[in-house]
């Protein structure tokens, strides 16, 4: 890939704070989605109310970006597309309008909104690179309170990004690369704070999502990401799929790969679904 192609590919996934501020001041500002969420916390909306990017709408990951949890489908099943469309319209997403999602955790929760909208056919969705911290570091202001936008008219159709199910995940390592985006100690089975069994899908490769990011919470440069994923046997043209605990941070991995031109499928049920099925084998160790 030439540098120009690399830059264009990355720009289709990520936008920096200064560029986003310029777009917001333009004639067709993007819809801003604030997706603050963290496992085990429920104060994302309170954080949003205290201060968010001007005009941003709060998105609840648990209730709007996922169906109710179940043993059969996992902790964050994909939402019904009609429910997602209704939510996206509440957020003010219009047909053909750009969307930018952000959070306060390096994009690890905002990527769920990025992936779902892309999967549902919205072409222009990006992540704010570095999220809230990058915006503040650029000297840009926040505003408090709730934002209620004019309703949008977007029409969503699922299937624009690839997904796999548990049977596909079982077979995937024989034909391609299956990346486990959880922390290394969860992959190894040393700890399991949430799901029924500890370990990983046999044949999966450990690829912690946190290693997609630099110390400041922005995505690593394209050449560093390319080198990272090449070492994990995840390169353009190779069959790549990703899972995590419940399909949330795996979306961040899919975004990181997309930023360097590698298409990856998402296993939405992820470990929460796999580990709940006693008939599915579990591997441990590094």
């Amino acid at each position: 890939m030439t540098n120009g192609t690399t830059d264009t590919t990355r720009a289709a996934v990520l936008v920096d704070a200064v560029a986003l501020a310029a777009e917001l001041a333009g004639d067709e500002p993007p819809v801003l989605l604030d997706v603050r969420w963290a496992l085990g916390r429920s104060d994302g909306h309170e954080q949003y109310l205290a201060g968010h990017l001007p005009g941003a709408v709060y998105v609840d990951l648990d209730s709007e970006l996922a169906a109710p949890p179940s043993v059969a489908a996992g902790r964050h099943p994909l939402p019904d597309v009609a429910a997602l469309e209704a939510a996206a319209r509440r957020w003010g997403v219009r047909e053909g309008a750009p969307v930018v999602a952000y959070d306060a955790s390096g994009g690890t929760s905002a990527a769920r909104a990025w992936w779902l909208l892309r999967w549902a056919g919205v072409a222009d969705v990006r992540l704010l690179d570095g999220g809230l911290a990058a915006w503040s570091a650029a000297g840009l202001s926040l505003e408090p309170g709730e934002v209620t936008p004019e309703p949008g008219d977007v029409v969503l159709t699922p299937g624009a990004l690839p997904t796999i199910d548990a049977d596909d995940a079982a077979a995937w390592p024989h034909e391609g690369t299956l990346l486990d985006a959880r922390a290394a100690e969860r992959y190894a089975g040393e700890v399991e704070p949430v799901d029924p069994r500890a370990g990983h899908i046999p044949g999966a490769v450990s690829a912690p999502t946190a290693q997609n990011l630099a110390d400041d919470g922005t995505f690593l440069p394209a050449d560093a990401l390319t080198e990272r994923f090449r070492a994990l046997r995840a390169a353009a043209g190779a069959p790549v799929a990703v899972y995590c605990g419940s399909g949330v941070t795996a979306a961040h991995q899919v975004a990181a790969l997309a930023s360097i031109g590698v298409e990856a499928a998402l296993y939405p049920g992820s470990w929460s679904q796999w580990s709940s099925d006693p008939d599915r084998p579990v591997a441990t160790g590094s």
Side-chain angles (χ1 to χ4, degrees):
M1 258 190 295
T2 66
N3 286 339
T5 303
T6 301
D7 291 345
T8 301
T9 303
R10 189 176 178 93
V13 178
L14 303 171
V15 59
D16 69 42
V18 173
L20 177 58
E23 291 183 27
L24 292 173
D27 294 334
E28 296 184 14
V31 176
L32 286 182
L33 306 180
D34 186 308
V35 197
R36 273 180 267 187
W37 174 89
L39 186 64
R41 294 186 61 168
S42 59
D43 60 348
H45 191 227
E46 288 76 10
Q47 293 177 43
Y48 162 84
L49 291 173
H52 53 78
L53 270 64
V57 179
Y58 179 71
V59 175
D60 187 283
L61 188 146
D62 288 320
S63 65
E64 296 182 296
L65 300 181
S70 70
V71 172
R75 283 186 282 111
H76 288 108
L78 296 187
D80 175 79
V81 72
L84 180 63
E85 181 178 280
R89 290 181 175 189
R90 285 197 304 274
W91 307 332
V93 180
R94 305 175 305 282
E95 199 68 29
V99 179
V100 174
Y102 73 91
D103 57 30
S105 54
T108 52
S109 55
R112 174 72 172 200
W114 171 88
W115 186 91
L116 275 174
L117 290 173
R118 286 279 187 97
W119 168 78
V122 181
D124 190 353
V125 190
R126 291 165 293 162
L127 292 169
L128 171 57
D129 194 11
L132 197 68
W135 182 267
S136 297
L140 299 164
S141 63
L142 302 176
E143 66 177 24
E146 197 80 62
V147 172
T148 304
E150 288 292 318
D153 61 358
V154 70
V155 176
L156 301 184
T157 303
L161 292 182
T163 59
I164 65 171
D165 61 17
D167 289 338
D168 296 325
W172 201 272
H174 300 292
E175 302 294 335
T177 300
L178 180 63
L179 300 177
D180 184 318
R182 298 173 300 156
E185 58 269 23
R186 289 185 70 190
Y187 169 89
E190 296 167 3
V191 298
E192 181 44 66
V194 188
D195 294 316
R197 292 186 288 167
H200 59 267
I201 297 174
V205 178
S206 180
T209 289
Q211 294 179 16
N212 296 330
L213 299 173
D215 291 343
D216 64 356
T218 58
F219 279 73
L220 292 174
D223 56 351
L225 282 174
T226 299
E227 182 177 346
R228 160 170 158 74
F229 287 115
R230 185 179 291 132
L232 297 169
R233 304 193 306 278
V240 180
V242 188
Y243 75 95
C244 59
S246 65
V248 174
T249 56
H252 190 276
Q253 197 94 284
V254 174
L257 287 158
S259 77
I260 56 170
V262 178
E263 181 181 79
L266 179 76
Y267 173 22
S270 282
W271 186 248
S272 60
Q273 180 187 53
W274 183 281
S275 63
S276 296
D277 184 347
D279 293 329
R280 297 288 177 186
V282 170
T284 56
S286 58

